[in-house]
Coordinates of all heavy atoms in Angstrom, one line a residue:
M1178 N 5.1 -17.3 10.1 CA 5.9 -16.2 9.9 C 6.1 -15.4 11.1 O 7.0 -14.6 11.2 CB 5.4 -15.4 8.7 CG 4.3 -14.3 9.1 SD 3.7 -13.5 7.6 CE 4.8 -12.0 7.6
F1179 N 5.3 -15.5 12.1 CA 5.5 -14.8 13.4 C 6.2 -15.7 14.4 O 6.1 -16.9 14.3 CB 4.1 -14.3 13.9 CG 3.4 -13.5 12.9 CD1 2.3 -13.9 12.3 CD2 3.9 -12.2 12.5 CE1 1.6 -13.2 11.3 CE2 3.3 -11.5 11.6 CZ 2.1 -11.9 11.0
E1180 N 6.9 -15.0 15.3 CA 7.7 -15.8 16.3 C 7.0 -16.8 17.1 O 7.4 -17.9 17.3 CB 8.5 -14.8 17.1 CG 9.4 -13.9 16.3 CD 10.6 -13.4 17.0 OE1 10.8 -13.8 18.2 OE2 11.4 -12.7 16.4
S1181 N 5.8 -16.3 17.6 CA 4.9 -17.3 18.3 C 3.6 -17.4 17.4 O 3.5 -16.7 16.4 CB 4.6 -16.8 19.7 OG 3.8 -15.6 19.6
D1182 N 2.7 -18.2 17.9 CA 1.4 -18.3 17.1 C 0.6 -17.0 17.3 O -0.3 -16.7 16.5 CB 0.6 -19.5 17.6 CG 1.3 -20.8 17.2 OD1 2.1 -20.7 16.2 OD2 1.0 -21.8 17.7
R1183 N 1.0 -16.3 18.3 CA 0.2 -15.1 18.6 C 0.9 -13.9 18.0 O 2.1 -13.7 18.1 CB 0.2 -14.9 20.1 CG -1.1 -14.4 20.7 CD -1.1 -14.5 22.2 NE 0.1 -13.8 22.7 CZ 0.1 -12.4 23.0 NH1 -1.0 -11.7 22.8 NH2 1.1 -11.9 23.5
V1184 N 0.1 -13.1 17.3 CA 0.6 -11.8 16.7 C 0.7 -10.8 17.8 O -0.2 -10.6 18.5 CB -0.3 -11.4 15.6 CG1 0.1 -10.0 15.1 CG2 -0.4 -12.4 14.5
T1185 N 1.9 -10.2 18.0 CA 2.0 -9.1 18.9 C 1.7 -7.8 18.3 O 1.6 -7.7 17.0 CB 3.5 -9.1 19.5 OG1 4.3 -8.8 18.4 CG2 3.9 -10.4 20.1
C1186 N 1.6 -6.8 19.1 CA 1.3 -5.4 18.5 C 2.5 -5.0 17.6 O 2.3 -4.3 16.6 CB 1.2 -4.4 19.7 SG -0.3 -4.7 20.6
E1187 N 3.7 -5.4 18.1 CA 4.9 -5.1 17.3 C 4.8 -5.7 15.9 O 5.1 -5.1 14.9 CB 6.1 -5.6 18.0 CG 7.4 -4.9 17.8 CD 8.5 -5.4 18.7 OE1 8.4 -5.1 19.9 OE2 9.3 -6.2 18.2
D1188 N 4.4 -7.0 15.8 CA 4.2 -7.7 14.6 C 3.2 -7.0 13.7 O 3.4 -6.7 12.5 CB 3.7 -9.1 14.8 CG 4.7 -10.0 15.4 OD1 5.9 -9.8 15.2 OD2 4.3 -11.0 16.1
F1189 N 2.1 -6.6 14.4 CA 1.0 -6.0 13.7 C 1.4 -4.7 13.0 O 1.2 -4.4 11.8 CB -0.2 -5.8 14.6 CG -1.4 -5.3 13.8 CD1 -2.2 -6.2 13.2 CD2 -1.7 -3.9 13.6 CE1 -3.3 -5.8 12.4 CE2 -2.7 -3.5 12.9 CZ -3.6 -4.4 12.3
V1190 N 2.1 -3.8 13.8 CA 2.5 -2.5 13.3 C 3.5 -2.7 12.1 O 3.4 -2.0 11.1 CB 3.1 -1.7 14.4 CG1 3.8 -0.4 13.9 CG2 2.0 -1.3 15.4
R1191 N 4.4 -3.7 12.3 CA 5.4 -3.9 11.2 C 4.7 -4.4 9.9 O 5.1 -4.0 8.8 CB 6.4 -4.9 11.7 CG 7.6 -5.0 10.9 CD 8.5 -6.2 11.3 NE 7.8 -7.4 11.3 CZ 7.8 -8.3 12.3 NH1 8.4 -8.1 13.4 NH2 7.1 -9.4 12.2
E1192 N 3.7 -5.2 10.1 CA 3.0 -5.8 8.9 C 1.9 -4.9 8.3 O 1.3 -5.2 7.3 CB 2.5 -7.2 9.2 CG 3.6 -8.2 9.6 CD 4.6 -8.4 8.5 OE1 4.2 -8.3 7.3 OE2 5.7 -8.7 8.8
L1193 N 1.5 -3.9 9.1 CA 0.3 -3.1 8.7 C 0.4 -2.5 7.3 O -0.5 -2.7 6.5 CB 0.1 -2.0 9.7 CG -1.1 -1.1 9.5 CD1 -2.4 -1.9 9.3 CD2 -1.3 -0.1 10.6
P1194 N 1.5 -1.9 6.8 CA 1.6 -1.4 5.5 C 1.4 -2.5 4.4 O 0.6 -2.3 3.5 CB 3.0 -0.8 5.3 CG 3.4 -0.6 6.7 CD 2.8 -1.6 7.6
A1195 N 2.0 -3.7 4.6 CA 1.8 -4.8 3.7 C 0.4 -5.3 3.7 O -0.2 -5.6 2.7 CB 2.8 -5.9 4.1
L1196 N -0.2 -5.3 4.9 CA -1.6 -5.7 5.1 C -2.5 -4.8 4.3 O -3.4 -5.3 3.5 CB -2.0 -5.7 6.5 CG -3.4 -6.2 6.9 CD1 -3.6 -7.6 6.6 CD2 -3.7 -5.9 8.3
L1197 N -2.3 -3.5 4.4 CA -3.1 -2.6 3.7 C -2.9 -2.6 2.2 O -3.8 -2.4 1.4 CB -2.9 -1.1 4.2 CG -3.3 -0.9 5.6 CD1 -2.8 0.5 6.1 CD2 -4.8 -0.9 5.7
D1198 N -1.7 -3.0 1.7 CA -1.4 -3.1 0.3 C -1.8 -4.5 -0.2 O -1.5 -4.8 -1.3 CB 0.1 -2.9 0.1 CG 0.4 -1.4 0.1 OD1 -0.5 -0.6 0.0 OD2 1.6 -1.1 0.2
R1199 N -2.4 -5.3 0.7 CA -2.8 -6.7 0.3 C -1.6 -7.5 -0.2 O -1.6 -8.3 -1.1 CB -3.9 -6.7 -0.7 CG -5.1 -6.1 -0.2 CD -6.2 -6.2 -1.3 NE -7.5 -5.8 -0.7 CZ -7.9 -4.5 -0.6 NH1 -7.1 -3.6 -1.0 NH2 -9.1 -4.2 -0.1
E1200 N -0.4 -7.3 0.5 CA 0.8 -8.0 0.1 C 1.2 -9.1 1.1 O 2.3 -9.6 1.0 CB 2.0 -7.0 0.0 CG 1.9 -6.2 -1.3 CD 2.9 -5.1 -1.3 OE1 3.7 -4.9 -0.4 OE2 3.0 -4.4 -2.4
V1201 N 0.3 -9.4 2.0 CA 0.7 -10.5 3.0 C 0.0 -11.7 2.6 O -1.1 -11.7 2.0 CB 0.3 -10.1 4.4 CG1 1.2 -9.1 5.0 CG2 -1.1 -9.6 4.5
A1202 N 0.6 -12.9 2.9 CA 0.0 -14.2 2.5 C -1.3 -14.3 3.3 O -1.5 -13.7 4.4 CB 1.0 -15.3 2.9
A1203 N -2.2 -15.2 2.8 CA -3.5 -15.3 3.4 C -3.5 -15.8 4.8 O -4.2 -15.2 5.7 CB -4.3 -16.3 2.5
D1204 N -2.6 -16.7 5.2 CA -2.6 -17.2 6.6 C -2.1 -16.1 7.5 O -2.6 -15.9 8.6 CB -1.8 -18.5 6.7 CG -0.4 -18.3 6.2 OD1 -0.1 -17.4 5.4 OD2 0.5 -19.1 6.5
A1205 N -1.1 -15.4 7.1 CA -0.5 -14.3 7.9 C -1.6 -13.2 8.1 O -1.8 -12.6 9.1 CB 0.7 -13.7 7.3
R1206 N -2.3 -13.0 7.0 CA -3.4 -12.0 7.0 C -4.5 -12.4 8.0 O -4.9 -11.5 8.8 CB -4.0 -11.9 5.6 CG -5.0 -10.8 5.5 CD -5.5 -10.7 4.0 NE -6.8 -10.1 3.9 CZ -7.9 -10.7 4.0 NH1 -7.9 -12.0 4.1 NH2 -9.0 -10.1 3.9
D1207 N -4.8 -13.6 8.1 CA -5.8 -14.1 9.0 C -5.3 -13.9 10.5 O -6.1 -13.5 11.3 CB -6.1 -15.6 8.8 CG -6.9 -15.8 7.5 OD1 -7.5 -14.8 7.0 OD2 -7.0 -16.9 7.1
Q1208 N -4.0 -14.2 10.7 CA -3.5 -14.0 12.0 C -3.5 -12.5 12.4 O -3.8 -12.2 13.6 CB -2.0 -14.5 12.0 CG -1.9 -16.0 12.2 CD -0.4 -16.4 12.2 OE1 0.2 -16.5 11.2 NE2 0.1 -16.5 13.4
L1209 N -3.1 -11.7 11.5 CA -3.1 -10.2 11.8 C -4.5 -9.7 12.1 O -4.7 -8.9 13.0 CB -2.5 -9.5 10.6 CG -1.0 -9.7 10.4 CD1 -0.6 -9.2 9.0 CD2 -0.2 -8.9 11.5
L1210 N -5.5 -10.1 11.2 CA -6.9 -9.7 11.5 C -7.4 -10.2 12.8 O -8.2 -9.5 13.4 CB -7.7 -10.0 10.3 CG -7.4 -9.3 9.0 CD1 -8.3 -9.8 7.8 CD2 -7.5 -7.8 9.1
A1211 N -7.0 -11.4 13.1 CA -7.5 -12.0 14.4 C -6.9 -11.2 15.6 O -7.6 -11.0 16.6 CB -7.0 -13.4 14.5
H1212 N -5.7 -10.6 15.4 CA -5.2 -9.7 16.5 C -6.1 -8.5 16.7 O -6.2 -8.1 17.9 CB -3.8 -9.3 16.1 CG -3.2 -8.3 17.0 ND1 -2.7 -8.7 18.2 CD2 -3.0 -7.0 17.0 CE1 -2.2 -7.7 18.9 NE2 -2.4 -6.6 18.2
L1213 N -6.8 -8.1 15.7 CA -7.6 -6.9 15.8 C -8.8 -7.2 16.7 O -9.4 -6.3 17.4 CB -8.2 -6.4 14.5 CG -7.1 -5.9 13.5 CD1 -7.7 -5.4 12.2 CD2 -6.3 -4.7 14.1
D1214 N -9.2 -8.5 16.8 CA -10.4 -8.8 17.7 C -10.0 -8.7 19.2 O -10.9 -8.6 20.0 CB -10.8 -10.3 17.4 CG -11.4 -10.4 16.1 OD1 -12.0 -9.4 15.5 OD2 -11.4 -11.5 15.5
T1215 N -8.7 -8.7 19.4 CA -8.2 -8.7 20.8 C -7.5 -7.4 21.2 O -7.2 -7.3 22.4 CB -7.3 -9.9 21.0 OG1 -6.1 -9.7 20.3 CG2 -7.9 -11.2 20.7
C1216 N -7.3 -6.5 20.3 CA -6.5 -5.4 20.6 C -7.1 -4.1 20.0 O -7.1 -3.8 18.8 CB -5.1 -5.6 20.0 SG -4.0 -4.2 20.4
A1217 N -7.7 -3.3 20.9 CA -8.4 -2.1 20.4 C -7.4 -1.1 19.9 O -7.7 -0.3 19.0 CB -9.1 -1.5 21.6
R1218 N -6.2 -1.1 20.4 CA -5.2 -0.1 20.0 C -4.8 -0.3 18.5 O -4.8 0.6 17.7 CB -3.9 -0.2 20.9 CG -3.1 1.0 20.9 CD -2.0 0.9 22.0 NE -1.2 -0.2 21.7 CZ 0.1 -0.3 21.9 NH1 0.7 0.8 22.3 NH2 0.8 -1.4 21.7
C1219 N -4.5 -1.6 18.2 CA -4.2 -1.9 16.8 C -5.4 -1.7 15.9 O -5.2 -1.3 14.7 CB -3.6 -3.3 16.7 SG -1.9 -3.4 17.4
L1220 N -6.6 -2.0 16.4 CA -7.8 -1.8 15.6 C -7.9 -0.4 15.2 O -8.2 0.0 14.0 CB -9.0 -2.3 16.4 CG -10.4 -2.2 15.7 CD1 -10.4 -3.1 14.4 CD2 -11.5 -2.6 16.6
R1221 N -7.7 0.5 16.2 CA -7.8 2.0 15.8 C -6.8 2.4 14.8 O -7.0 3.1 13.9 CB -7.6 2.8 17.1 CG -8.9 3.2 17.8 CD -8.7 4.4 18.7 NE -7.5 4.2 19.6 CZ -7.6 3.6 20.8 NH1 -8.7 3.1 21.2 NH2 -6.5 3.5 21.6
K1222 N -5.6 1.8 15.0 CA -4.5 2.2 14.1 C -4.8 1.7 12.7 O -4.6 2.4 11.7 CB -3.2 1.5 14.6 CG -1.9 2.0 13.9 CD -0.7 1.7 14.6 CE 0.6 2.0 13.8 NZ 0.6 3.5 13.5
H1223 N -5.3 0.5 12.6 CA -5.6 -0.1 11.3 C -6.7 0.7 10.6 O -6.6 1.0 9.4 CB -6.1 -1.6 11.5 CG -6.6 -2.3 10.3 ND1 -7.9 -2.4 9.9 CD2 -5.8 -2.8 9.3 CE1 -8.0 -3.0 8.7 NE2 -6.7 -3.3 8.3
R1224 N -7.7 1.1 11.4 CA -8.8 1.9 10.8 C -8.3 3.2 10.3 O -8.7 3.7 9.2 CB -9.9 2.1 11.8 CG -10.8 0.9 12.0 CD -12.1 1.3 12.6 NE -12.9 0.1 12.9 CZ -13.6 -0.1 13.9 NH1 -13.7 0.8 14.9 NH2 -14.3 -1.2 14.0
F1225 N -7.5 3.8 11.1 CA -6.9 5.1 10.8 C -6.1 5.1 9.5 O -6.3 5.9 8.6 CB -6.0 5.6 12.0 CG -5.4 7.0 11.8 CD1 -6.2 8.1 11.8 CD2 -4.0 7.1 11.6 CE1 -5.6 9.4 11.7 CE2 -3.5 8.3 11.5 CZ -4.2 9.5 11.5
E1226 N -5.2 4.1 9.5 CA -4.3 4.0 8.3 C -5.1 3.6 7.0 O -4.8 4.1 5.9 CB -3.2 3.0 8.5 CG -2.4 3.3 9.8 CD -1.0 3.8 9.4 OE1 -0.5 3.5 8.4 OE2 -0.4 4.5 10.3
A1227 N -6.1 2.8 7.2 CA -6.9 2.4 6.1 C -7.7 3.6 5.5 O -7.8 3.8 4.3 CB -7.9 1.3 6.4
A1228 N -8.2 4.4 6.4 CA -8.9 5.6 6.0 C -8.0 6.6 5.3 O -8.4 7.2 4.3 CB -9.5 6.3 7.3
I1229 N -6.8 6.8 5.8 CA -5.9 7.7 5.1 C -5.6 7.2 3.7 O -5.6 7.9 2.7 CB -4.5 7.8 5.9 CG1 -4.7 8.6 7.1 CG2 -3.4 8.4 5.0 CD1 -3.5 8.7 8.0
L1230 N -5.4 5.9 3.6 CA -5.1 5.3 2.3 C -6.2 5.5 1.3 O -6.0 5.8 0.2 CB -4.8 3.8 2.5 CG -3.9 3.1 1.5 CD1 -2.5 3.7 1.6 CD2 -3.9 1.6 1.7
T1231 N -7.4 5.2 1.8 CA -8.6 5.4 1.0 C -8.8 6.8 0.5 O -9.0 7.0 -0.7 CB -9.9 5.0 1.8 OG1 -9.7 3.6 2.2 CG2 -11.1 5.0 0.9
S1232 N -8.6 7.8 1.4 CA -8.8 9.2 0.9 C -7.7 9.6 0.0 O -7.9 10.4 -0.9 CB -8.9 10.1 2.1 OG -7.6 10.4 2.7
L1233 N -6.5 9.1 0.2 CA -5.3 9.4 -0.6 C -5.6 8.9 -2.1 O -5.4 9.6 -3.0 CB -4.1 8.7 -0.1 CG -2.7 9.4 -0.4 CD1 -2.7 10.7 0.3 CD2 -1.6 8.5 0.1
K1234 N -6.1 7.6 -2.1 CA -6.4 7.1 -3.5 C -7.5 7.8 -4.2 O -7.4 8.1 -5.4 CB -6.8 5.6 -3.3 CG -5.6 4.7 -3.1 CD -6.0 3.2 -3.0 CE -4.8 2.3 -2.8 NZ -5.1 1.0 -2.4
A1235 N -8.5 8.3 -3.4 CA -9.6 9.0 -4.0 C -9.0 10.4 -4.5 O -9.4 10.8 -5.6 CB -10.6 9.3 -2.9
R1236 N -8.1 11.0 -3.8 CA -7.5 12.2 -4.3 C -6.7 12.1 -5.5 O -6.8 12.9 -6.4 CB -6.6 12.8 -3.2 CG -7.4 13.7 -2.2 CD -6.4 14.0 -1.0 NE -7.2 14.2 0.2 CZ -7.1 15.3 0.9 NH1 -6.3 16.2 0.5 NH2 -7.8 15.4 2.0
L1237 N -5.9 11.0 -5.6 CA -5.1 10.7 -6.7 C -5.9 10.5 -8.0 O -5.6 11.0 -9.0 CB -4.2 9.5 -6.5 CG -3.0 9.7 -5.6 CD1 -2.3 8.4 -5.4 CD2 -2.1 10.7 -6.1
R1238 N -7.1 9.8 -7.8 CA -8.0 9.6 -8.9 C -8.6 10.9 -9.4 O -8.9 11.1 -10.5 CB -9.1 8.6 -8.6 CG -8.7 7.2 -8.8 CD -9.9 6.3 -8.9 NE -10.6 6.3 -7.6 CZ -10.4 5.5 -6.6 NH1 -9.4 4.6 -6.7 NH2 -11.1 5.5 -5.5
A1239 N -8.7 11.9 -8.4 CA -9.4 13.1 -8.7 C -8.6 14.1 -9.5 O -9.1 15.1 -10.0 CB -9.9 13.8 -7.4
V1240 N -7.3 13.8 -9.5 CA -6.4 14.8 -10.2 C -6.4 14.4 -11.7 O -5.9 13.3 -12.1 CB -4.9 14.7 -9.7 CG1 -4.0 15.6 -10.5 CG2 -4.9 15.0 -8.2
P1241 N -6.9 15.3 -12.6 CA -6.9 15.0 -14.0 C -5.5 15.2 -14.6 O -4.7 16.0 -14.2 CB -7.9 16.1 -14.5 CG -7.8 17.2 -13.6 CD -7.4 16.7 -12.3
M1242 N -5.2 14.4 -15.6 CA -4.0 14.5 -16.3 C -4.1 15.6 -17.4 O -5.1 15.5 -18.1 CB -3.6 13.2 -16.9 CG -2.1 12.8 -16.6 SD -1.4 11.7 -17.7 CE -2.0 10.1 -17.0
P1243 N -3.2 16.5 -17.5 CA -3.3 17.6 -18.5 C -3.3 17.0 -19.9 O -2.7 15.9 -20.1 CB -2.1 18.4 -18.3 CG -1.6 18.1 -16.9 CD -2.0 16.7 -16.6
D1244 N -4.0 17.7 -20.8 CA -4.0 17.2 -22.2 C -2.6 16.9 -22.8 O -1.7 17.8 -22.6 CB -4.7 18.2 -23.1 CG -6.2 18.1 -22.9 OD1 -6.7 17.1 -22.3 OD2 -6.9 19.1 -23.3
G1245 N -2.4 15.9 -23.5 CA -1.2 15.6 -24.2 C -0.1 15.0 -23.4 O 0.9 14.6 -23.9
V1246 N -0.2 15.0 -22.1 CA 0.9 14.4 -21.2 C 1.1 12.9 -21.6 O 2.3 12.5 -21.7 CB 0.6 14.6 -19.7 CG1 1.5 13.7 -18.9 CG2 0.7 16.0 -19.3
E1247 N 0.0 12.2 -21.7 CA 0.2 10.8 -22.0 C 0.9 10.5 -23.3 O 1.9 9.7 -23.4 CB -1.2 10.1 -22.0 CG -1.2 8.6 -21.9 CD -2.5 8.0 -21.8 OE1 -3.5 8.7 -21.5 OE2 -2.6 6.8 -22.1
E1248 N 0.6 11.3 -24.3 CA 1.2 11.2 -25.6 C 2.7 11.5 -25.5 O 3.5 10.8 -26.1 CB 0.6 12.1 -26.7 CG -0.8 11.6 -27.1 CD -1.9 11.9 -26.2 OE1 -1.6 12.6 -25.1 OE2 -3.0 11.5 -26.4
R1249 N 3.0 12.6 -24.8 CA 4.4 13.0 -24.7 C 5.2 11.9 -23.9 O 6.4 11.6 -24.3 CB 4.5 14.3 -23.9 CG 4.6 15.5 -25.0 CD 4.2 16.8 -24.5 NE 4.7 17.2 -23.2 CZ 4.0 18.0 -22.4 NH1 2.9 18.5 -22.7 NH2 4.5 18.4 -21.2
V1250 N 4.7 11.4 -22.9 CA 5.4 10.3 -22.1 C 5.6 9.1 -23.0 O 6.7 8.6 -23.1 CB 4.6 9.9 -20.9 CG1 5.2 8.7 -20.2 CG2 4.6 11.1 -19.9
L1251 N 4.6 8.7 -23.8 CA 4.8 7.6 -24.7 C 5.8 7.9 -25.7 O 6.6 7.0 -26.1 CB 3.4 7.2 -25.3 CG 2.4 6.7 -24.4 CD1 1.0 6.5 -25.1 CD2 2.9 5.3 -23.8
A1252 N 5.9 9.1 -26.2 CA 6.9 9.5 -27.3 C 8.3 9.4 -26.7 O 9.2 8.8 -27.3 CB 6.6 10.9 -27.8
V1253 N 8.5 9.8 -25.5 CA 9.8 9.8 -24.8 C 10.2 8.3 -24.6 O 11.3 7.9 -24.8 CB 9.8 10.5 -23.5 CG1 11.0 10.2 -22.7 CG2 9.6 12.0 -23.7
L1254 N 9.2 7.5 -24.2 CA 9.5 6.1 -24.0 C 9.9 5.4 -25.3 O 10.8 4.6 -25.3 CB 8.3 5.4 -23.4 CG 8.0 5.7 -21.9 CD1 6.7 5.0 -21.5 CD2 9.1 5.3 -21.0
A1255 N 9.2 5.8 -26.4 CA 9.6 5.2 -27.7 C 11.0 5.6 -28.1 O 11.7 4.8 -28.6 CB 8.6 5.7 -28.7
L1256 N 11.4 6.8 -27.8 CA 12.8 7.3 -28.1 C 13.8 6.5 -27.3 O 14.8 6.0 -27.8 CB 12.9 8.8 -27.7 CG 12.6 9.8 -28.7 CD1 12.8 11.2 -28.1 CD2 13.4 9.7 -30.0
T1257 N 13.4 6.3 -26.0 CA 14.3 5.5 -25.1 C 14.5 4.1 -25.6 O 15.6 3.5 -25.5 CB 13.8 5.5 -23.7 OG1 13.4 6.8 -23.3 CG2 14.8 5.1 -22.7
D1258 N 13.4 3.5 -26.1 CA 13.5 2.2 -26.6 C 14.5 2.0 -27.7 O 15.2 1.1 -27.8 CB 12.1 1.7 -27.1 CG 11.2 1.2 -26.0 OD1 11.8 1.0 -24.9 OD2 10.0 1.0 -26.2
R1259 N 14.5 3.0 -28.6 CA 15.4 3.0 -29.7 C 16.8 3.4 -29.3 O 17.8 3.2 -30.1 CB 15.0 4.0 -30.8 CG 13.8 3.5 -31.6 CD 13.7 4.2 -32.9 NE 13.4 5.7 -32.7 CZ 12.2 6.2 -32.7 NH1 11.1 5.4 -32.7 NH2 12.1 7.5 -32.5
G1260 N 17.0 3.9 -28.1 CA 18.3 4.4 -27.7 C 18.4 5.8 -28.1 O 17.7 6.3 -28.9
W1261 N 19.4 6.5 -27.5 CA 19.5 7.9 -27.8 C 20.5 8.3 -28.9 O 20.6 9.4 -29.3 CB 20.0 8.7 -26.5 CG 19.0 8.6 -25.5 CD1 18.9 7.8 -24.4 CD2 17.8 9.4 -25.4 NE1 17.8 8.0 -23.7 CE2 17.1 9.0 -24.3 CE3 17.2 10.4 -26.2 CZ2 15.9 9.5 -23.9 CZ3 16.0 11.0 -25.8 CH2 15.4 10.5 -24.7
S1262 N 21.1 7.3 -29.6 CA 22.0 7.5 -30.7 C 21.2 8.1 -31.9 O 20.1 7.6 -32.2 CB 22.7 6.2 -31.2 OG 21.7 5.3 -31.4
G1263 N 21.6 9.3 -32.3 CA 20.9 9.9 -33.5 C 19.7 10.7 -33.0 O 19.0 11.3 -33.8
A1264 N 19.5 10.8 -31.7 CA 18.4 11.6 -31.2 C 18.7 13.0 -31.0 O 17.9 13.8 -30.6 CB 17.9 10.9 -30.0
T1265 N 19.9 13.4 -31.3 CA 20.3 14.8 -31.0 C 19.8 15.8 -32.1 O 19.9 15.5 -33.2 CB 21.9 14.9 -31.0 OG1 22.4 14.2 -32.1 CG2 22.4 14.4 -29.7
Ligands
LIG2156 ZN1 -2.1 -4.8 19.1

């Protein structure tokens, strides 16, 4: 998937979001991770972005959903399923 067998910094930066989302194929992932062994700059970037992502996910989990929101959303979805005719 890369132009040469060697992953460049440009390749790495471009693929980093997909790598963090685990959306890259296994072989491409191996190539990208191998680049980190040879490139301190990309290693720092990878660590930094991964840390942001981890703390972001932790924060999202920490936000409680207000009471009743789930039921209301499900009710609206049920209405949408039936279509809006007669819903007035
Ligand atoms: Zn690099």
Side-chain angles (χ1 to χ4, degrees):
M1178 88 181 264
F1179 303 110
E1180 298 206 1
S1181 69
D1182 287 342
R1183 219 170 54 86
V1184 174
T1185 62
C1186 293
E1187 209 173 285
D1188 290 330
F1189 187 85
V1190 169
R1191 194 186 58 230
E1192 298 297 328
L1193 183 54
L1196 180 67
L1197 292 171
D1198 284 342
R1199 296 185 172 80
E1200 282 173 358
V1201 287
D1204 56 340
R1206 185 173 158 272
D1207 289 346
Q1208 278 181 277
L1209 289 165
L1210 293 178
H1212 177 74
L1213 295 181
D1214 290 337
T1215 63
C1216 182
R1218 203 170 58 139
C1219 288
L1220 181 62
R1221 266 202 309 274
K1222 191 165 173 61
H1223 178 261
R1224 283 199 182 141
F1225 180 71
E1226 304 255 334
I1229 289 178
L1230 206 68
T1231 304
S1232 79
L1233 208 67
K1234 281 180 180 169
R1236 274 168 209 237
L1237 285 177
R1238 271 199 299 273
V1240 177
M1242 228 199 277
D1244 282 345
V1246 164
E1247 199 176 339
E1248 286 79 3
R1249 263 155 49 207
V1250 169
L1251 290 174
V1253 169
L1254 288 176
L1256 274 178
T1257 313
D1258 276 351
R1259 284 201 297 270
W1261 292 100
S1262 53
T1265 45

